Amino acid sequence: MNQNPEQLARDEIDRQLLACGWIIQSKSKINLSAGIGVAVREYQTDVGPADYVLFVNKKPVGVIEAKRAEEGVHLTMHEDQTEGYATAKLKYLNNHPLFFGYESTGDVTRFTDYRDKKPRSRPVFTFHRPETFAEWLKQEKSLRTRLHDLPALPEEGLRDCQITAINNLERSFKQAKPKALIQMATGSGKTYTAITFIYRLLKFAKAKRILFLVDTKNLGEQAEQEFMAYVPNDDNRKFTELYGVTRLKSSYIPEDNQVYISTIQRMYSILKGTELDESAEETNPNEYKTKEPAPVTYNERIPVEFFDFIVIDECHRSIYNLWKQVLDYFDVFQIGLTATPDNRTFGYFNKNIVSDYGYEKAVIDGVLVPYNVFTIETKITKQGGAIPMGEMVDKRERLTRRKFWEAVDEDIEYSGRQLDRDIVNLNTIRTIVRAIKENLPKMFPDRTSPSLQGSTSSQPFSKGEGQEGPSKSAATNVQGLAPSPSERAGGEVAFEVPKTLIFAKTDSHAEDIIEIVREEFGEGNKFCKKITYQSKEDPKAILSQFRNDYYPRIAVTVDMIATGTDIRPLEVLVFMRDVKSRSYYEQMKGRGTRTCSLEQLRATGTPSAKFTKDHFVIIDAIGVEQSQKTDSRPLEKKPGMSLKDLLQNVAMGNTQEDILTTLANRLIRLDKQINDKERANFAEQANGQTIHHVVAALLNAYDPDTVESIRQKVEGENPEASPEAINSQFTTHHSQLIDNAVAVFNNPDLRNYIIDVRKKYDQVIDGINIDEIANIGWVKDQQAAAVLTISNFTAWIEAHKDEITALQIFYAQPYRRREITYKMIKDLCKKIKTEQPMLAPLQVWSAYAATGETGGNAKNELTALVSLIRRVTGIDAALTPYNKTVDKNFQQWILKKNAGQHNRFTEEQMQWLRMIKDYVAGSFHVEKEDFELDPFNKQGGLGRFYQLFKEDYENILQELNEALAA
C-alpha cells in the first residue's frame, strides 16, 4: 500500500518479464544457471546501477530502464540513458556493448535493437523472450539490417504497377517504416504482388514467419490457393514446395511453417485462448464494435515476436476497434493491401502509401476494364405501395418459406426500401428480371450463337484432363465451338446470356430471384444458382462452376462473392440491393473489372463471344449509383443492432453492459413470438436453460445489487487486503459472473437457431400491387459529369497558360514545342494533382472516354497530360494518345526525308530513328545526354549514333524534336 510509483512500475515489469519466460533475481542472489534467461535487478555498471540487466545463456545481452507511469509520454527522452548502460562495462565482466535496450513503465514499453543499421526505438506490447534473443544472436545481422541486402527485383512476368509497389515497399522496409499501404485496384494483382514480396522476404531477408491476415474464410481459402499456385522467377518449384504454408483452422499454431493464413477473428480468439467456430469466419467482422474491447493479454504460446511481418488483406475494413489489438500485439512490420482505402486506412498506415494504383489508372493501362451503367427503375421501387386493411394476402415464414393465407389487420404502407425484407412484391422482381432479359441482347448484340439444325446439346463443352479450352464435339459450329444450349432446334438463332452476378438483399430474396430468373428466361435449374454461405449445395463448387464452366449463366449472392473473388468471365453485375459504404460498393463493382481474353472468355463459359472482354455492365435496379455513400460501413449500430450482430458480439467477447442488456430485451421479445415447440428447441440447444433463465443471467451480470454484493463479499473475506487487491479480486469474480451468463452463447448451434427462428415471422407477400417500369436506359449522368470535368480542366489550363512555362510553350509557335522537357511536364502534372486532384490527367482522360472522344489509351499519366493539353490548346482536333501523335509525325518526317531519294536511311539508321521516336513518345524531348540511358546505351550510345549520321547527327536530333512535337 505504501509503494511509490517507481516500485509499482517495477512490479508490473516483473510480472511481464516472468510471463515472457525470464527469471528475476536480485544482484545479491545471482544464479545465471537458473534458466536460459535471467533478469538481474540493479546490476552495477561503471556508470551506475542499471534497473535490469538481461542475461541469456549466462551472457549479458540487454538492459531495461524502468520509469514510473507518468514518464510514459517522455520515454524517448530516456533512450540515451538506456544506451549508456548498454555500452557501459558491467561489474565483474569484460563485456562488449549489449545489443538490446528497453525503456518501460510497465504500461508502455519501447525497444531498440542496437544491431540495426540505424537503431530506432519502437513500441512493443511486452518484452521479448530469452529464447528469441538467443536465436537472434546466432544471426550475423538483425532483420532490419538484412532488409538492406534485398537484391534488385527481377521484373519479368510482373506488371508495372506490381514492380512499383514492391520496389517502393522494399524502400520503405529499408527506412524501417513500421507500416506501409499498398493500394491496388481490384483485379490488378494485389495478392500476387504480396506473395512476390513475401517470397523475397523469406529468401533474401531470412524472415522467420509471416502472417497473411484476412477477415473472411473465403478470402483465406483463396489466398491459400494462390500461394499453392505461385512459382517464383528464380526457381521452378512452387512456393509451397519451398516454404511451409498453413491456413489456421483451430487454436493450434505449428511453429515450423513460414507463412500463416488466418482470419483476424481467429487470431484474436487464439490470443485470447478461446476456440472459434468456423461460422464466425464467414462474414467480415468490421461491424462488431465495442466501446471497451475485451483486452488481449500476453500468450506465451504466441509471443509478440512470433511473426516478423503481417500482411493485411482488405485492410480498409476490419483492423479497427476490437480487432486492432491483434495488430498492436505483435512486434512486426505491417503491410496493408486494399483497392479502396478510406481516411481511417490512410491514417492507420501513417500515410505511407507505397502504391497508389487506382481503378482509373488500371483501366488506362489495360489491366482492368471500364463499365457502363444501365438503370431499371420501377414504380414501386421508387414510390412504394399500400395494402388496405382487410385484404387477404399470403404471409410467409422467412426461414421455412411456408405460406399461409391471412387478412391484413391494419393498413400497410411500405417504401421501396422495405421490399424483400418485411414486404415481398414478386411482381417487382419479375418486372426487373424481365427488363434485364429484354435488354441484355441490346447490350451484347454479338452474343448470338450460329444456328445448327437439330442440335440437342445441353453442355457446350467440358474441360477434361489436359484440355485448355472447348472440347470438340460431333456437332461443332464454324468457329469450332459446340452450340449453346439456348439454341433451338430448327435453326433459330439464340442469344447467349453473358455471365451475370445478381446481388440480393437476403437469402430469402435470393430464392425469389432465382425462381423468377429461371422462369422468365425459360431455363432449368443449372441456368441460375445461388452462391452464398447458406447454400444447400457446396458454395465453393458452385463458385468454381460459375468461374470455369458454361453453367450457371446467372449467379445470385448475398455476401459470399461481394469482395475478393476473381471471376474473369463475369460481364454483368445486377444490383438488387443498396450499399451505403463507398469502399464496399467499389469492392462489389470490382467483381466485374477483371480482363478476360477472347480465348479465356470462350473457354470459361461464353463460347459465342466474338471479342475480348473490354467492358462490363452494371444494371442498377435499386438506385445504388445515386444513393449516398459514406467512407466506411457504419460500425456503431446500437440501438438498431440486429439480433445476429448482438449474438456475434457476445461470441467474440464483447460483454459490455449495453450489449448484454439489449440482447436480453431481444430474447424477451422473441419468447413472446415463438411457440412451445420452439421454446423447447431453444432449451435443448442451451443445455436445458430456458429463455427466461438465460435472460435472467444476462440482466443479473450487471445488476447493481448483485455487483455490490460481490464487492462486499470480497471485502469481508479479505479485511487486510489493499484496495488494489480488493479491486483485482472483485474484477475476477465479476468477470466470472459475466462469463457464466454468456457461456451458453459459445454454442454456434444455439446462435444460429435464435437467428433462424426469428426469421420465421412477419414477411407479407404483396400480390395486389402490380409493378411497371418507370425509367430504364443507360445512365446519362456519367456523361454530364464527364463534360463538367473536361470543362473544368479546360478552364484551369486557360487560367494558367501565362504563368507556367510548359503551357506558355504549347500556346506559342509550333517550333517552340521542341523545348518541352520531361521535367516541365512532370512539374505541371504535380501542380495539377496538388491543386486540383479531381483534374488529375487520368481522370480527365476517363472523362473524354465517357464522351466517346478518345482514340485509345494513354501510355502513362504524363503522356496523357500532353495529349490533353494538345486537345485543349487546339493543336489536335480530337484527343489522341501522344504515342500515336508521335508515330504519325514520325511517318510524315520520314516521307519528307525520303522525297526524291528512296530509302535515304539504312536499316540500322532507321532502327536508331525509331528508338528516338519511342523515347520522345514517353519523354517529349531527346538530348545528347539521354544517349547514356536505355535503350541507346545498349546499342552503343552517342558514339554509335555519331558514326551512323556523322556531322548531320545534331541536325537530325533538332529536326526530330521539332517534327515529333508538332
Side-chain angles (χ1 to χ4, degrees), residues 185-245:
T186 299
S188 59
K190 291 192 302 295
T191 307
Y192 191 90
T193 301
I195 299 174
T196 301
F197 70 68
I198 287 172
Y199 169 75
R200 287 170 57 77
L201 290 172
L202 291 170
K203 180 171 183 177
F204 300 114
K206 305 302 179 187
K208 186 174 182 181
R209 300 187 192 95
I210 296 174
L211 174 62
F212 193 93
L213 205 58
V214 297
D215 60 12
T216 64
K217 179 183 175 184
N218 182 41
L219 285 179
E221 291 171 342
Q222 189 165 300
E224 184 178 31
Q225 291 299 314
E226 295 205 41
F227 273 101
M228 292 169 66
Y230 182 89
V231 178
N233 269 345
D234 56 359
D235 200 304
N236 59 9
R237 291 171 292 177
K238 290 185 176 181
F239 188 101
T240 47
E241 294 174 318
L242 296 166
Y243 301 105
V245 177

Side-chain angles (χ1 to χ4, degrees), residues 643-660:
L643 181 58
K644 178 180 179 181
D645 287 347
L646 285 167
L647 291 166
Q648 192 71 6
N649 267 272
V650 172
M652 296 308 301
N654 180 2
T655 55
Q656 65 188 64
E657 183 175 3
D658 57 350
I659 290 288
L660 299 194

Side-chain angles (χ1 to χ4, degrees), residues 20-23 25 31-39 54-61 129-135 138:
C20 295
W22 294 89
I23 297 169
Q25 298 176 352
N31 177 9
L32 299 182
S33 299
I36 184 176
V38 175
L54 304 177
F55 290 82
V56 171
N57 292 325
K58 300 184 181 181
K59 297 185 183 303
V61 298
R129 298 186 70 82
E131 297 89 348
T132 301
F133 284 159
E135 188 175 328
K138 294 176 185 176

Side-chain angles (χ1 to χ4, degrees), residues 157-288:
L158 294 173
R159 295 170 177 160
D160 288 345
C161 60
Q162 295 171 323
I163 294 168
T164 300
I166 295 170
N167 283 334
N168 288 347
L169 176 64
E170 293 181 355
R171 192 174 300 116
S172 175
F173 288 153
K174 291 172 184 177
Q175 295 169 355
K177 293 186 177 181
K179 298 176 182 178
L181 177 63
I182 293 177
Q183 178 192 0
M184 291 177 67
T186 299
S188 59
K190 291 192 302 295
T191 307
Y192 191 90
T193 301
I195 299 174
T196 301
F197 70 68
I198 287 172
Y199 169 75
R200 287 170 57 77
L201 290 172
L202 291 170
K203 180 171 183 177
F204 300 114
K206 305 302 179 187
K208 186 174 182 181
R209 300 187 192 95
I210 296 174
L211 174 62
F212 193 93
L213 205 58
V214 297
D215 60 12
T216 64
K217 179 183 175 184
N218 182 41
L219 285 179
E221 291 171 342
Q222 189 165 300
E224 184 178 31
Q225 291 299 314
E226 295 205 41
F227 273 101
M228 292 169 66
Y230 182 89
V231 178
N233 269 345
D234 56 359
D235 200 304
N236 59 9
R237 291 171 292 177
K238 290 185 176 181
F239 188 101
T240 47
E241 294 174 318
L242 296 166
Y243 301 105
V245 177
T246 184
R247 182 167 63 85
L248 301 182
K249 303 173 186 177
S250 68
S251 60
Y252 172 69
I253 297 187
E255 295 186 8
D256 56 352
N257 282 267
Q258 286 74 49
V259 176
Y260 297 75
I261 303 169
S262 173
T263 60
I264 195 166
Q265 51 270 49
R266 180 164 298 284
M267 188 54 62
Y268 173 80
S269 72
I270 289 172
L271 292 176
K272 291 286 292 175
T274 58
E275 288 293 339
L276 182 73
D277 187 82
E278 281 192 279
S279 64
E281 299 181 284
E282 291 180 349
T283 55
N284 85 72
N286 66 322
E287 292 186 356
Y288 308 135

Side-chain angles (χ1 to χ4, degrees), residues 63-78:
V63 295
I64 302 174
E65 178 62 24
K67 295 296 177 184
R68 66 181 188 272
E70 292 78 4
E71 287 297 301
V73 295
H74 303 132
L75 276 190
T76 57
M77 296 173 58
H78 302 289

Side-chain angles (χ1 to χ4, degrees), residues 544-604:
S544 177
Q545 292 168 8
F546 187 51
R547 182 186 286 127
N548 299 309
D549 300 337
Y550 190 85
Y551 287 121
R553 304 306 301 160
I554 298 176
V556 184
T557 190
V558 178
D559 52 16
M560 182 173 169
I561 50 177
T563 63
T565 304
D566 185 359
I567 307 172
R568 291 189 177 276
L570 185 60
E571 295 183 274
V572 181
L573 296 181
V574 180
F575 281 87
M576 294 181 73
R577 60 167 288 194
D578 197 8
V579 186
K580 296 300 185 183
S581 160
R582 182 179 296 111
S583 62
Y584 190 50
Y585 181 46
E586 293 300 323
Q587 290 281 319
M588 293 167 80
K589 287 195 298 186
R591 299 316 99 214
T593 60
R594 268 74 169 181
T595 58
C596 192
S597 68
L598 178 58
E599 294 75 16
Q600 191 177 20
L601 196 56
R602 289 174 172 175
T604 52

